[in-house]
Amino acid sequence: SKVEGAVNFNFSPASRDFTLYSGFIQDEFILLADRLKFILGSKFEHNDFSGFEFQPNARLVFTPDNKQTIWAAVARAVRIPNRLDHDLESLYLSQEPSGVFPTGVGNSNFDSEQLIAYELGYRIQPTDTLLFDIAAFYNDYDKLTTAELGDPVSQTSPTPHVTIPIYASNQGSAETYGVELLAQWQVFEEWRLQGSYSYLQIQFHSNSSTSIAPEANEGNSPHHQYTLRSSIDLLENVQFDTTVRYVDNLSSQNVESYTELDLRLAWTPLKNLELSVVGQNLLHSHHAEFTNTGFSTAMEVQRGFYGKLSWQY
C-alpha cells in the first residue's frame, strides 16, 4: 500500500508491500446420536506485522429433546496490527495550548490484541408459538491498545512548535461479561412479537503509568440495551413493522441514553417486488449516539424518512 504524505499526516515508509496468508479448518464430531456434538476448528494466518496467528474455537452442543438446546463455547481471536499502528510517523491532532500539538505516532513493536471468549447458552421452545433464548458471556482481553504519552519534542518546521508524541502500545487488558436475552411470540398467524435485552459490563486495566485516561474505555459502550419489535400482516401482501429500542448512556463520552421508534410499511404487489416506506428515529428530531474523541464532536442521528423499492430475481 502507498499513502501520500500531507503537512500534518504521513506514514514512514510511504509505500509498503505486505502479504497475508490465511486458512481455516473445522470438523464436527457426533458424541451421542441426535443429542450431543462437538465442533472444533481454527483459523490460521501469517501477516507481516505480528507473524503467525492461530484462532481456535470449540463448541459443545447438547439437545436433550427437540424443544431444547444447551451449548457452550470457547474461542480465541486477535486483531492484527495495521499501518496506522506501525508506520504512522505523525498525525497532528489539536492545538491546546497554542503552539503545542499532541501528535499521534506509530509503534513498530505494536503486537496483536488478543481475546479469549467464553459463552454459555440455553434455548427452549415450550410451544409452537413461544421461543426463549439466553446467552451469557465472559471475554478476557490481553495486549489491548493504550495511548501512551512520550516526551515533548521541539520542532522548527514549518513554524516553531512543540509536539507531544502519543503512540499506541499493548499495555491494556480487560474483562467484559454480560448476558443477552431473546423472546419470540407468535401471537396470531398474522402477528409476531420479539423482544431482546442485553447487559454489558467492562473492566479495563492498564499496566502503564503513562496511559491516557484508560478508564474511559469502560464508558464507551452502553450497559443496557433493549429492543421490542412487532410485525403484523395487515393484508396478505401488506406488512407493518414497529420497532422500539433503548440504548443506555455512554458515560465517558457524555452521550445520554435514548429511546427511539422506527416504523415500516411494506407492500408486495408481485412475488419478487416490494415497495416500502420507512420512518426512523421518530421520537426525537435528533439524538447523539457517540462522540468522536479525537475531535470531541458528538455524532448525531436525525429523524429520517425514506422509500425503498426492492426487486429479487
Side-chain angles (χ1 to χ4, degrees):
S1 67
K2 184 177 181 179
V3 178
E4 297 293 341
V7 173
N8 66 336
F9 176 82
N10 63 286
F11 284 110
S12 178
S15 178
R16 177 172 177 175
D17 295 326
F18 47 88
T19 305
L20 174 68
Y21 300 97
S22 180
F24 181 80
I25 186 172
Q26 180 171 293
D27 202 357
E28 181 178 301
F29 306 90
I30 305 299
L31 304 180
L32 291 175
D34 301 323
R35 288 292 180 265
L36 184 63
K37 62 182 178 181
F38 179 61
I39 303 170
L40 181 65
S42 183
K43 178 181 180 181
F44 304 91
E45 81 175 25
H46 185 278
N47 66 86
D48 292 342
F49 295 103
S50 63
F52 176 75
E53 301 281 4
F54 74 101
Q55 301 177 65
N57 69 85
R59 183 177 296 264
L60 191 65
V61 182
F62 177 50
T63 52
D65 52 50
N66 59 3
K67 294 183 179 294
Q68 300 180 82
T69 301
I70 303 170
W71 53 270
V74 59
R76 179 181 187 270
V78 300
R79 183 191 75 84
I80 65 174
N82 52 45
R83 294 207 66 195
L84 195 64
D85 300 317
H86 270 235
D87 299 342
L88 181 64
E89 187 172 72
S90 65
L91 171 59
Y92 284 61
L93 301 173
S94 62
Q95 185 180 188
E96 297 177 4
S98 178
V100 178
F101 293 86
T103 307
V105 295
N107 179 2
S108 60
N109 294 317
F110 188 84
D111 201 359
S112 295
E113 296 180 309
Q114 301 178 7
L115 162 67
I116 305 294
Y118 306 88
E119 301 177 36
L120 181 65
Y122 175 65
R123 173 177 292 183
I124 182 171
Q125 187 172 358
T127 70
D128 292 339
T129 60
L130 281 176
L131 173 68
F132 299 98
D133 195 316
I134 179 171
F137 61 88
Y138 177 84
N139 297 325
D140 186 8
Y141 296 87
D142 195 19
K143 296 187 177 182
L144 289 182
T145 303
T146 55
E148 305 292 326
L149 277 175
D151 296 327
V153 178
S154 296
Q155 297 184 339
T156 59
S157 177
T159 60
H161 64 279
V162 174
T163 62
I164 302 177
I166 301 176
Y167 62 93
S169 186
N170 297 103
Q171 300 298 319
S173 60
E175 301 85 39
T176 66
Y177 55 88
V179 64
E180 297 177 349
L181 306 174
L182 173 71
Q184 293 185 137
W185 181 24
Q186 188 80 29
V187 186
F188 304 110
E189 182 178 354
E190 302 83 8
W191 185 19
R192 298 168 295 282
L193 288 175
Q194 182 184 86
S196 63
Y197 167 78
S198 67
Y199 170 77
L200 172 65
Q201 181 65 42
I202 301 175
Q203 296 177 343
F204 189 90
H205 320 282
S206 175
N207 300 320
S208 170
S209 60
T210 59
S211 295
I212 302 175
E215 67 280 355
N217 293 278
E218 299 180 0
N220 285 336
S221 299
H223 287 299
H224 306 276
Q225 297 185 76
Y226 70 75
T227 301
L228 179 61
R229 181 176 291 109
S230 168
S231 181
I232 302 176
D233 297 329
L234 299 177
L235 299 171
E236 184 177 352
N237 59 353
V238 178
Q239 186 179 64
F240 181 62
D241 298 332
T242 304
T243 303
V244 177
R245 50 194 171 85
Y246 167 84
V247 179
D248 205 359
N249 69 299
L250 306 182
S251 57
S252 66
Q253 300 186 20
N254 294 320
V255 174
E256 297 181 353
S257 61
Y258 60 89
T259 302
E260 279 297 359
L261 170 69
D262 300 336
L263 299 177
R264 174 179 177 270
L265 182 65
W267 175 43
T268 310
L270 301 174
K271 180 180 179 181
N272 299 326
L273 177 64
E274 181 184 87
L275 305 174
S276 59
V277 178
V278 177
Q280 293 181 316
N281 306 303
L282 299 179
L283 298 184
H284 305 90
S285 60
H286 58 87
H287 69 263
E289 292 200 347
F290 66 95
T291 297
N292 186 323
T293 54
F295 299 94
S296 300
T297 303
M299 300 292 121
E300 294 196 341
V301 175
Q302 295 182 326
R303 179 185 294 139
F305 301 90
Y306 68 89
K308 181 180 178 181
L309 185 152
S310 176
W311 173 265
Q312 297 181 354
Y313 58 92

